[in-house]
């Protein structure tokens, strides 16, 4: 039977959408699912090191979230800017609110006398292009004044404390570029990582991660391109793991897409830098990833479709029913699932 968009709907009580992280990273709950048997265990993320052997390899995304949400004014009108893509020369592709009322040539004042942005020609709908003018380092100013770009389902302001600056970031984040955290990695602390063999790739998460699938035929959906890089050292580690017939565990859907993109493009994992638009949905044949650690995702999202492709749609539907019954916490600050 064909897979329908409605197959990726599920009822979710609003109170299960996590608005804050767990008190400690490793305290998040962990659902462990065996694909072949459908067996489920209920553990904690602190148990993760005990679930892997020295032969296992975890691959993690070390992209760093930057404070991409800005607030300013155009005359008397308040304006919100979400930085999406650096176009160079002070120009950015951004999401503007309110976008339609701001015309090319309008100036948005973000920090009087220091930083302002002018709307340029180009862009589409609320996604526009602006050019920043600033005194001093823009990145230094941004780190001080920008706001953590929390997902829209977290219905509270960012920055109520320093919580979001530290917790909406993995402990191993290194390369600045994401506007959303690779959330499966939020559950690790440094002590846990020290007990598990691992390596890193980088994929910068863009605005498209929040884009729901709206076409009735899910095969017609397209994901936005996201930039990635894989170092020579990591490529050799992953390739060696595959050559020995050992399992590669992807931490997150972002890592999964990079590994499967490289395998599909060149038939192996080699050092590379580029972008991927790989869209994984049921029927996809995985060539690299043997285990997957992921959070619980939004209905009708490409992330949920990727997980269903990996575990099987009926298995995921069953797991999500159990997660709701057991009151797991959902989405970015929520709990995790390890699929074996």
């Amino acid at each position: 039977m064909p897979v329908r968009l409605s197959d990726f709907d599920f009822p979710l009580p609003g109170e299960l959408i996590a608005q804050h992280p767990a008190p400690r990273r490793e305290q998040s709950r962990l659902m462990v699912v065996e694909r072949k048997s459908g067996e489920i265990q209920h553990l904690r993320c602190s148990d993760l090191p005990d679930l892997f052997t020295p032969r296992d390899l975890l691959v993690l995304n070390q992209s760093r979230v930057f404070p991409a949400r800005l607030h300013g004014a155009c005359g008397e009108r308040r304006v919100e800017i979400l930085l999406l893509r650096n176009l160079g020369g002070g120009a950015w592709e951004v999401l503007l609110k309110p976008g339609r009322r701001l015309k090319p040539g309008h100036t948005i004042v973000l920090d009087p006398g220091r930083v302002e942005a002018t709307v340029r020609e180009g862009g589409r709908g609320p996604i526009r292009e602006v050019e920043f003018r600033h005194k001093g380092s823009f990145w230094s100013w941004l780190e001080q004044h920008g706001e953590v770009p929390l997902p829209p389902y977290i219905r509270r302001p960012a920055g109520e404390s320093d919580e979001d600056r530290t917790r909406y970031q993995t402990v191993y984040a290194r390369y600045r570029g994401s506007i959303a955290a690779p959330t499966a990695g939020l559950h690790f602390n440094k002590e846990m990582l020290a007990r598990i063999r691992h390596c890193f790739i980088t994929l910068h998460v863009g605005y498209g991660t929040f884009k729901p699938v709206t076409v009735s035929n899910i095969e017609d959906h397209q994901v936005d391109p996201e930039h990635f890089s894989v170092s020579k050292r990591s490529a050799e580690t992953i390739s060696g793991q595959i050559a020995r017939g050992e399992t590669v565990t992807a931490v997150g859907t972002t890592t999964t897409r990079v590994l499967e993109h490289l395998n599909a493009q060149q038939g192996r994992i080699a050092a590379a830098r580029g972008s991927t638009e790989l869209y994984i949905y049921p029927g996809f044949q995985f060539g690299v990833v043997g285990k997957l650690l992921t959070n619980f995702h939004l209905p009708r999202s490409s992330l949920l479709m990727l997980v269903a492709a990996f575990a099987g749609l009926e298995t995921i539907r069953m797991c999500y029913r159990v997660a709701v019954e057991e009151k797991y916490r959902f989405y970015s600050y929520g709990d995790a699932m390890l699929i074996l």
Side-chain angles (χ1 to χ4, degrees):
M1 292 181 61
V3 180
R4 301 163 299 179
L5 182 58
S6 59
D7 290 329
F8 300 92
D9 277 326
F10 60 91
L12 180 66
E15 63 269 19
L16 297 185
I17 300 174
Q19 299 297 303
H20 294 269
R24 294 176 60 87
R25 293 177 185 270
E26 71 277 11
Q27 289 178 346
S28 294
R29 296 173 70 189
L30 176 68
M31 178 186 289
V32 181
V33 185
E34 168 58 54
R35 283 183 286 174
K36 291 183 179 180
S37 67
E39 181 182 350
I40 291 177
Q41 298 181 70
H42 301 289
L43 305 175
R44 293 281 174 181
C45 286
S46 56
D47 296 313
L48 277 167
D50 297 323
L51 299 176
F52 296 99
T53 72
R55 297 191 305 275
D56 282 301
L57 175 69
L58 268 65
V59 185
L60 308 103
N61 180 6
Q62 61 183 345
S63 180
R64 185 173 187 82
V65 179
F66 69 99
R69 181 168 283 121
L70 307 173
H71 298 277
C74 182
E76 298 298 319
R77 184 180 296 128
R78 301 299 300 171
V79 178
E80 179 182 293
I81 299 177
L82 179 63
L83 301 175
L84 300 181
R85 185 163 62 98
N86 189 348
L87 302 175
W92 282 76
E93 185 178 72
V94 303
L95 182 68
L96 283 183
K97 294 183 181 179
R100 295 178 180 175
R101 297 182 181 180
L102 297 173
K103 307 299 182 183
H106 281 180
T107 295
I108 305 161
V109 178
L110 296 133
D111 190 348
R114 291 188 63 192
V115 181
E116 62 183 28
T118 299
V119 181
R120 305 201 315 180
E121 297 282 356
R124 59 198 188 280
I127 297 179
R128 309 289 294 280
E129 292 182 11
V130 302
E131 183 174 348
F132 286 93
R133 294 183 299 279
H134 52 88
K135 293 182 179 179
S137 167
F138 178 71
W139 284 107
S140 295
W141 179 88
L142 187 65
E143 289 292 338
Q144 183 177 357
H145 296 279
E147 186 178 281
V148 176
L150 294 178
Y153 45 76
I154 295 182
R155 296 184 175 90
R156 62 172 176 81
E160 292 178 340
S161 65
D162 289 334
E163 174 185 65
D164 296 315
R165 287 266 178 170
T166 57
R167 295 298 303 279
Y168 195 62
Q169 195 83 267
T170 63
V171 297
Y172 48 82
R174 184 174 182 184
Y175 298 112
R176 178 178 60 202
S178 283
I179 67 165
T183 56
L186 296 179
H187 307 289
F188 289 91
N189 58 33
K190 292 181 179 179
E191 291 74 22
M192 291 167 62
L193 280 177
R195 296 175 55 195
I196 308 173
R197 184 167 164 259
H198 64 276
C199 67
F200 299 104
I201 56 90
T202 300
L203 180 135
H204 296 312
V205 184
Y207 180 65
T209 193
F210 301 119
K211 184 170 70 175
V213 179
T214 57
V215 292
S216 56
N217 182 355
I218 67 168
E219 295 181 11
D220 294 335
H221 179 69
Q222 292 182 321
V223 299
D224 295 342
E226 293 175 316
H227 294 279
F228 72 87
S229 63
V230 178
S231 69
K232 180 180 179 181
R233 180 177 181 180
S234 288
E236 290 175 347
T237 300
I238 299 165
S239 296
Q241 185 79 355
I242 296 169
R244 291 189 297 273
E246 302 289 358
T247 301
V248 173
T249 300
V251 177
T253 58
T254 58
T255 298
T256 301
R257 290 179 61 231
V258 171
L259 296 179
E260 296 298 337
H261 168 90
L262 290 177
N263 185 64
Q265 292 292 312
Q266 52 195 29
R268 62 193 181 99
I269 304 299
R273 184 182 298 270
S275 65
T276 180
E277 300 175 56
L278 180 63
Y279 169 37
I280 298 176
Y281 54 90
F284 182 85
Q285 297 298 310
F286 289 82
V288 177
V289 177
K291 298 177 184 177
L292 173 63
L293 178 69
T294 186
N295 277 25
F296 292 92
H297 300 293
L298 277 71
R300 297 187 174 222
S301 66
S302 61
L303 306 183
L304 180 57
M305 292 174 185
L306 183 154
V307 174
F310 186 76
L313 177 58
E314 290 308 313
T315 297
I316 288 300
R317 287 165 64 89
M318 178 267 294
C319 289
Y320 273 54
R321 286 194 298 269
V322 171
V324 170
E325 293 168 1
E326 296 292 329
K327 299 190 183 305
Y328 274 71
R329 286 155 44 92
F330 277 69
Y331 305 164
S332 293
Y333 273 150
D335 297 315
M337 173 190 292
L338 176 63
I339 306 172
L340 304 176

